[in-house]
Amino acid sequence: MLRRRPPTGAFLRLFATSCRRSSLNPSRPHLPDPAALSPPPVAKKVPFTVSAHGRSWSDPYQWMRDTSDPDLAALLAAENAYADAFVGSAGGGGLRARLAAEMRARLPPSAVTPPQSWGPWLYYQYVPEGKEYPVLSRKLKPSRGLGRALLDYLSGSEKEQVLLDWNEVAEKNGYVHIGSCRISPDHRFLAYTVDASGGELFSLEVKDLQSADVIFSSPDKGIVSLAWAHNSENLFYTVCDETLRPNQVFCKKLQSDEAGFLVFTEEDVNCCVDITSTKDFKYMTVNSNTRTSSEEVFVMESDNVREGLWPIRKRVDKVQYFLEHHNGFFYILTNAPVNDTEKITEGYYLARCRAEKSLVDRWQIVVFPGSDCAIQDMDIFQDNLVLFLQKNGTPLFCSVNMPIDVDVQEPKELNDLNPWYFPIPSDLCSIIPGSNNDFMSSTYRLVVSSPVIPDLTVDYDLRKRTFTILHQEEVTSLSANLGTVGLQSNVSSIQQNLQLVENSQSWGDLSKLFSCKRIKVMPHDGVLIPLVILYSREAHRHGDSPGILYGYGAYGEDLDKSWCSERLSLLSRGWVLAFADVRGGGELSWHLAGTKANKINSIQDFAACGMHLIKEGLVHQNRLCAIGCSAGGLLVGAVINMFPDLFSAAVLKVPFLDICNTMLDPTLPLTVLDYEEFGDPNISAEFEAICSYSPYDNLSPGACYPPVLVTASFNDTRVGIWEAAKWVAKVRDITCTSCSHSVILKTNMQSGHFGEGGRFMHCDETAFEYAFLMKALGLDDITMGPIPEALQ
């Protein structure tokens, strides 16, 4: 799943006539009056007993696991009607529509990405005016240079070839989710996977771009990754088993009647398989890995598939390998032990070996990153190696000239290789690589963003060590107000602070309007937790503002802190937005510190960050909200159980709430894979750890719970619809009756785990969530002070 308060006596619940939450907290905003609402739906109960490790407990809502039960469909319909009525009354009935209109107004009528060169073509995507989804297109690159090509592109003088229109797929099926999308090395074929139901059972299609015909549709469902061979004749793809675990690699020879043949099968149910090609397409790599990143890597010549795979290294616990090819060498980014007597290294280093089957075990260490920097990933070109770095929580990129000449006996430190550190903004950044498909290119593209910097597309010239800002995301109501800031870069040494690059290009940010800072919060055990805090300098009211704390804390994933124009609707009303990077996310050691028995660390970290916001007066003590998605829903749900008075409202999006029952059922998709993340319930100690924080199993009878919006997707294969439905039903059944009227369930009946991807639809969904939070806090009829003109 890409995912305690003592019980109150029953007699208090039965005979209580008013909600204790409001009486114990007289300054708390009034909850919506239950008398003004129709009674919430009541789910039926069916006796059912669960047993494990000598314990038995009742689960009367287990029947919801049967998604074909007509009673479930009726319940979800009733819950949707109740949720719509609850949120629909906010702000006198017009708040949700107003918020959605604000968000839509900030989006330009159409959106486009600057073209990126690859071979003879310029590839780009755009969203047509009034449409929800992008169109993938290309134009032939004129021989007059990229600058002229950009002008031709903007003027429309070059003929466009539409490769794939997501909107057409959506109109045909009513839903669309494009997974992988790969152009062949000769630019003739487009292979892509598409999910038309929301269940993530992706099908594969291959389109001949000369004829525009689909020439191959795989009979298999559940296809995940795609990779082309160098000759553009062979296409490799992975296929899932019945539990949605990618476990097999197939190869299909195009323009042949032969069926795809099996290349590799992973029998270990704890491992997933991925297929990639090296940047030059000369080798295929098969990675078999667990959720906690213990990997085994194989390679094969892409045009000589029948010769089979070579093993690079066998799987070692918590060891990863990222492999690329360059001029007869495999370059390997790894944290493997440097010698047989050592444990895994704290971070990654770069090694290489000859790309020969008999020599792949003879590794030579090329470079260590240095004492205060971590290497996270790499990309490779004919003349340059690009390294993805992190220093003190800040992402950095640098390039090194290729080939690298090193002394076998003396591995270098990164700065010994004369790296060029890419200029980046000084504000907290999200940096995402572009497609960068062309192995022969000397230009590297990044999308740079932050909570106060709308997305920038930047090309870095690796040969000249210069950069060009190609495009900045338009925010229609703010374009005239964007200021400019100087760039910063580690121009001399990664140990030095970022230094101002004088006389360089600058880009617009909103730091004059918004404060965005990164601090460290100390939880129960003294480990410092990164917390990013964002608010409007003009609209924020110290000690009085409402706020939202976002959290995830699983699978080694960091929270997304890139630019989002939808947040302006909250910031303009004085809200504080905070992002807690709790243990369980992030790099390997931080990830492991929040897994299995250590999951309690994630929960305590999140609670500590919420308490800090209140203690420092950044958020009013009765106006703090929380949002968690998928495994982040587990995080927020567990904190609500343990600290029921910390949050005044919450949004749980496709949340993983019934973890104990789900982890006890190995037939469910992804369950066995999640043993590495949350623990194996077949082991008594790990079962007890799961039970100690499971949101569904630790609801406190009679307790007052905050208003909670729970969103779900009926076709979700990662987190079953029943997880949300069971949790809401149980809250209504056993907790404070008055409070539970404000716990609502909203289900999308056609989408999957990732919802519907259209940009306008996303505005509508976010407006629903914001309207709920404002209503829950009693702020739906006020703006928390005047909205600054620049933010309206």
Side-chain angles (χ1 to χ4, degrees), residues 659-718:
I659 179 173
C660 187
N661 286 315
T662 294
M663 297 297 286
L664 284 169
D665 187 351
T667 67
L668 289 173
L670 308 181
T671 289
V672 174
L673 296 176
D674 272 341
Y675 288 171
E676 293 258 356
E677 184 72 25
F678 300 105
D680 183 350
N682 298 300
I683 300 172
S684 179
E686 297 185 10
F687 168 76
E688 294 297 335
I690 293 170
C691 289
S692 70
Y693 64 78
S694 171
Y696 181 70
D697 296 292
N698 287 282
L699 294 170
S700 298
C704 293
Y705 275 64
V708 181
L709 165 62
V710 184
T711 68
S713 295
F714 189 78
N715 295 320
D716 194 338
T717 53
R718 295 181 181 236

Side-chain angles (χ1 to χ4, degrees), residues 7-201:
T8 307
F11 72 96
L12 290 177
R13 282 194 291 117
L14 291 172
F15 296 101
T17 57
S18 64
C19 174
R20 295 190 309 286
R21 173 177 281 265
S22 57
S23 63
L24 291 173
N25 299 282
S27 63
R28 186 181 296 275
H30 294 296
L31 294 173
D33 182 6
L37 300 170
S38 59
V42 177
K44 73 178 182 181
K45 294 183 178 181
V46 177
F48 186 84
T49 300
V50 184
S51 298
H53 297 285
R55 294 168 51 181
S56 297
W57 61 95
S58 175
D59 185 10
Y61 302 111
Q62 194 272 348
W63 64 271
M64 296 182 187
R65 281 277 304 275
D66 181 5
T67 56
S68 64
D69 190 326
D71 287 342
L72 178 61
L75 175 66
L76 297 179
E79 291 284 6
N80 278 349
Y82 184 76
D84 287 338
F86 187 100
V87 174
S89 64
L95 180 59
R96 179 189 178 189
R98 178 188 174 188
L99 291 169
E102 289 175 6
M103 296 173 191
R104 285 172 173 247
R106 295 188 194 103
L107 299 176
S110 60
V112 65
T113 64
Q116 186 158 17
S117 174
W118 181 19
W121 294 94
L122 294 171
Y123 288 89
Y124 55 97
Q125 295 187 73
Y126 65 93
V127 181
E129 184 170 351
K131 295 292 187 178
E132 294 278 359
Y133 300 101
V135 176
L136 175 63
S137 299
R138 70 181 181 184
K139 292 182 179 181
L140 277 172
K141 183 169 57 178
S143 58
R144 292 168 290 178
L146 183 58
R148 181 62 188 176
L150 287 169
L151 294 175
D152 290 341
Y153 160 76
L154 293 172
S155 65
S157 61
E158 293 293 328
K159 184 178 179 181
E160 175 183 87
Q161 181 182 9
V162 173
L163 308 183
L164 181 62
D165 187 339
W166 277 253
N167 297 283
E168 291 182 356
V169 182
E171 290 168 6
K172 177 182 176 181
N173 299 288
Y175 176 87
V176 62
H177 182 183
I178 301 294
S180 299
C181 192
R182 300 286 185 268
I183 300 286
S184 62
D186 65 358
H187 304 272
R188 179 175 176 179
F189 302 106
L190 170 65
Y192 59 95
T193 62
V194 60
D195 169 26
S197 69
E200 293 188 72
L201 291 173

Side-chain angles (χ1 to χ4, degrees), residues 221-225 237-250 262-275 286-289 673:
K221 299 292 184 182
I223 293 172
V224 179
S225 52
Y237 57 93
T238 59
V239 180
C240 292
D241 64 12
E242 63 278 2
T243 65
L244 299 187
R245 176 180 69 96
N247 71 320
Q248 292 184 317
V249 177
F250 285 87
L262 183 63
V263 175
F264 180 83
T265 299
E266 177 54 76
E267 302 292 350
D268 189 337
V269 296
N270 296 297
C271 296
C272 294
V273 171
D274 186 36
I275 179 73
V286 175
N287 287 58
S288 176
N289 60 285
L673 296 176

Side-chain angles (χ1 to χ4, degrees), residues 238 245-249 264-276 285-299 309 312-321 673:
T238 59
R245 176 180 69 96
N247 71 320
Q248 292 184 317
V249 177
F264 180 83
T265 299
E266 177 54 76
E267 302 292 350
D268 189 337
V269 296
N270 296 297
C271 296
C272 294
V273 171
D274 186 36
I275 179 73
T276 59
T285 65
V286 175
N287 287 58
S288 176
N289 60 285
T290 66
R291 278 292 176 92
T292 52
S293 304
S294 300
E295 289 187 303
E296 191 169 13
V297 182
F298 305 87
V299 299
L309 295 163
I312 295 295
R313 286 284 174 101
K314 291 188 177 295
R315 183 176 293 114
V316 177
D317 190 32
K318 300 179 181 60
V319 169
Q320 287 184 305
Y321 311 94
L673 296 176

Side-chain angles (χ1 to χ4, degrees), residues 513-768:
L513 297 176
F514 303 111
S515 171
C516 183
K517 56 187 177 181
R518 180 186 178 92
I519 65 170
K520 297 290 184 71
V521 174
M522 186 175 296
H524 64 292
D525 58 359
V527 176
L528 295 176
I529 309 303
L531 179 67
V532 173
I533 303 171
L534 174 68
Y535 58 84
S536 164
R537 296 185 185 277
E538 182 176 346
H540 178 250
R541 300 290 182 264
H542 188 80
D544 198 42
S545 279
I548 298 175
L549 181 63
Y550 295 84
Y552 186 70
Y555 305 119
E557 295 290 336
D558 286 323
L559 276 175
D560 178 17
K561 294 178 281 291
S562 58
W563 169 259
C564 176
S565 64
E566 294 167 355
R567 297 182 189 133
L568 296 177
S569 290
L570 292 179
L571 296 170
S572 66
R573 291 170 169 83
W575 287 64
V576 174
L577 306 180
F579 307 85
D581 284 313
V582 302
R583 281 171 281 187
E587 48 82 24
L588 184 59
S589 61
W590 196 252
H591 172 209
L592 295 176
T595 61
K596 294 189 175 181
N598 294 325
K599 189 62 187 174
I600 192 65
N601 289 334
S602 305
I603 298 164
Q604 296 284 4
D605 293 351
F606 194 70
C609 289
M611 295 173 186
H612 177 87
L613 294 172
I614 293 171
K615 179 182 177 183
E616 296 301 315
L618 290 160
V619 177
H620 188 282
Q621 65 176 344
N622 294 328
R623 289 176 174 169
L624 178 62
C625 306
I627 292 182
C629 180
S630 192
L634 183 156
L635 175 74
V636 176
V639 173
I640 290 174
N641 283 339
M642 295 181 184
F643 305 93
D645 293 322
L646 179 57
F647 298 115
S648 296
V651 177
L652 308 180
K653 303 168 69 171
V654 289
F656 186 24
L657 297 169
D658 191 20
I659 179 173
C660 187
N661 286 315
T662 294
M663 297 297 286
L664 284 169
D665 187 351
T667 67
L668 289 173
L670 308 181
T671 289
V672 174
L673 296 176
D674 272 341
Y675 288 171
E676 293 258 356
E677 184 72 25
F678 300 105
D680 183 350
N682 298 300
I683 300 172
S684 179
E686 297 185 10
F687 168 76
E688 294 297 335
I690 293 170
C691 289
S692 70
Y693 64 78
S694 171
Y696 181 70
D697 296 292
N698 287 282
L699 294 170
S700 298
C704 293
Y705 275 64
V708 181
L709 165 62
V710 184
T711 68
S713 295
F714 189 78
N715 295 320
D716 194 338
T717 53
R718 295 181 181 236
V719 182
I721 173 60
W722 57 86
E723 302 232 1
K726 287 175 66 175
W727 187 86
V728 170
K730 190 172 181 180
V731 168
R732 298 244 186 86
D733 182 33
I734 73 169
T735 69
C736 171
T737 303
S738 296
C739 291
S740 65
H741 278 67
S742 300
V743 175
I744 66 174
L745 173 63
K746 179 69 171 176
T747 303
N748 187 319
M749 297 302 294
Q750 70 172 9
S751 71
H753 190 68
F754 297 102
E756 298 186 61
R759 59 185 189 138
F760 295 122
M761 285 186 285
H762 192 267
C763 289
D764 294 339
E765 292 175 359
T766 304
F768 191 94

